[in-house]
Amino acid sequence: MITPTIQRQLTRSIRHARCFSSTPSASAQQVKRLGVIGAGQMGLGIALVAAKTAGVPVTLVDTNQTAIDKGLKFADKLLAKDVSKERITQDQSDKIRSLLNPSTTMDALVEVDFVIEAVPEIPSLKFDIFSSLAQICPPHAILATNTSSISITRIAASTTKDPTNTSASSRVISTHFMNPVPIQKGVEIITGLQTSQETIDTAIEFCKAMGKIPSQSADSPGFLANRILMPYINEAIICLETGVGGRDDIDAIMKNGTNVPMGPLQLADFIGIDTCLAIMKVLYEETGDSKYRPSVLLRKMVDAGWLGKKSGKGFYDY
Ligand code: NAD
């Protein structure tokens, strides 16, 4: 729990980190090229909104060519829908599409001013990527992560072996977009201990240029959104596995009783069952609090490969 004392300590630490930050980072006006790593459901959405709303060219990196092809096909579908609803013209759609430049290698990020990582929620994978980004990207580039739960301070620390050298770690921040990115306005801005004020300002400005509404939160397990949302989803799964209610009743009561577009089990399918488990594990392990214990059924579903909408089967069939 973040007590006022811890909050004050965090704020002081952030101020302290600002004093150490030596490398000036890009300002939002200087974000002339964005990099996005991971062309999955979040990365593709971020890339498309950045091209469409902020009007910046995007280098979209995914090691899996099939994921890139699938992502760009989805972008084409969303743009065609915008044209058919007369929200944009065909010319505008073509221009937006031409701003998306795919690549299967991170070396393509050599000229970006701002990069947003959206690869799966695996700590070691993210640490490796940020260690590489510190080498590949220009020395002013902001290095942002879309992580749902991994400590930003720890991700920032992976950029260097020398903790006194904050030239790269001060440029690490989280821009935690909400799913689906083209629709949800909210974005959580989470700072690590090392994050500089210029980095915070630029990230907020750039998210606003993407048409988003930023909220700031401290680097604490689950941050704000998932600290609140995931125990809710996990509890719904426990209700299902212990027979308190069936799938449709659980979703119906929350949908019709709290005026949300979908119930917690359908939402879990949309987020990804594996992502939900990864976040619950972080909450449980980082706080040591049994109230965050991931449900047994959640673990079993991941073991079965029933990951929700993306795998065709979750609590519902797709
Ligand atoms: P996803 O599985 O849909 O996509 C991840 C993509 O990363 C895949 O296309 C994969 O091929 C690619 N990838 C894997 N290793 C890579 C590497 N080394 N280099 C480049 N690309 C690589 O995942 P997602 O749902 O888009 O989630 C991405 C991140 O966003 C995670 O950290 C997740 O926690 C976070 N997030 C997810 C949601 C959600 O609702 N799904 C919401 C907010 C944040």
Side-chain angles (χ1 to χ4, degrees):
M1 184 182 153
I2 300 272
T3 62
T5 314
I6 295 174
Q7 184 64 62
R8 271 196 300 280
Q9 282 167 349
L10 283 168
T11 310
R12 257 203 308 275
S13 307
I14 289 165
R15 284 206 200 104
H16 184 62
R18 278 178 217 153
C19 306
F20 279 112
S21 78
S22 48
T23 313
S25 50
S27 79
Q29 292 89 338
Q30 291 163 348
V31 179
K32 302 265 184 272
R33 176 170 283 276
L34 176 73
V36 174
I37 312 173
Q41 57 175 334
M42 297 306 292
L44 191 276
I46 294 165
L48 183 59
V49 173
K52 196 171 140 185
T53 312
V56 291
V58 183
T59 304
L60 179 60
V61 175
D62 200 300
T63 40
N64 181 345
Q65 183 64 48
T66 313
I68 290 182
D69 295 342
K70 192 174 156 202
L72 291 177
K73 210 168 145 196
F74 187 57
D76 288 339
K77 196 173 143 194
L78 293 180
L79 287 170
K81 194 169 164 198
D82 280 342
V83 173
S84 75
K85 299 224 164 185
E86 297 185 352
R87 290 194 281 248
I88 55 172
T89 64
Q90 186 59 51
D91 273 0
Q92 287 170 321
S93 167
D94 294 344
K95 171 86 200 309
I96 294 163
R97 184 62 175 77
S98 72
L99 292 174
L100 300 178
N101 308 291
S103 171
T104 51
T105 133
M106 293 234 298
D107 292 340
L109 299 170
V110 70
E111 284 185 343
V112 299
D113 307 301
F114 198 117
V115 59
I116 302 174
E117 164 277 313
V119 303
E121 195 73 347
I122 303 166
S124 58
L125 178 59
K126 303 222 188 234
F127 300 155
D128 284 351
I129 285 179
F130 275 79
S131 163
S132 303
L133 287 177
Q135 304 299 319
I136 295 168
C137 296
H140 68 275
I142 304 283
L143 312 176
T145 172
N146 195 52
T147 180
S148 303
S149 60
I150 301 166
S151 159
I152 313 308
T153 302
R154 227 177 276 159
I155 292 178
S158 66
T159 58
T160 176
K161 287 196 167 66
D162 172 7
T164 63
N165 177 1
T166 58
S167 63
S169 61
S170 65
R171 290 179 282 116
V172 174
I173 193 161
S174 170
T175 50
H176 180 214
F177 290 86
M178 305 288 128
N179 188 16
V181 184
I183 292 171
Q184 305 291 7
K185 290 263 178 239
V187 58
E188 242 182 322
I189 305 290
I190 304 132
T191 52
L193 217 50
Q194 310 92 325
T195 312
S196 72
Q197 188 59 42
E198 293 105 294
T199 302
I200 300 171
D201 294 344
T202 305
I204 289 176
E205 255 183 273
F206 187 64
C207 288
K208 285 184 180 167
M210 285 176 68
K212 301 299 176 195
I213 302 169
S215 296
Q216 237 182 293
S217 69
D219 186 14
S220 171
F223 318 126
L224 267 184
N226 285 320
R227 173 82 168 256
I228 298 166
L229 180 64
M230 283 304 154
Y232 158 75
I233 288 177
N234 193 50
E235 199 60 34
I237 302 171
I238 292 173
C239 285
L240 181 68
E241 78 186 0
T242 55
V244 180
R247 177 194 74 180
D248 294 346
D249 287 310
I250 291 169
D251 274 357
I253 191 62
M254 298 318 293
K255 188 175 165 195
N256 301 316
T258 63
N259 201 23
V260 288
M262 61 182 85
L265 300 176
Q266 192 183 2
L267 181 58
D269 275 359
F270 274 76
I271 292 170
I273 304 293
D274 51 341
T275 301
C276 293
L277 177 61
I279 299 168
M280 281 312 297
K281 276 184 177 170
V282 169
L283 282 172
Y284 184 50
E285 282 157 20
E286 299 277 316
T287 62
D289 191 331
S290 62
K291 76 177 178 184
Y292 297 119
R293 178 183 65 78
S295 101
V296 174
L297 179 58
L298 179 60
R299 287 179 189 275
K300 282 200 293 198
M301 287 183 67
V302 173
D303 288 344
W306 297 353
L307 306 183
K309 191 162 181 273
K310 64 182 166 190
S311 71
K313 185 166 179 58
F315 292 105
Y316 295 79
D317 291 331
Y318 299 89

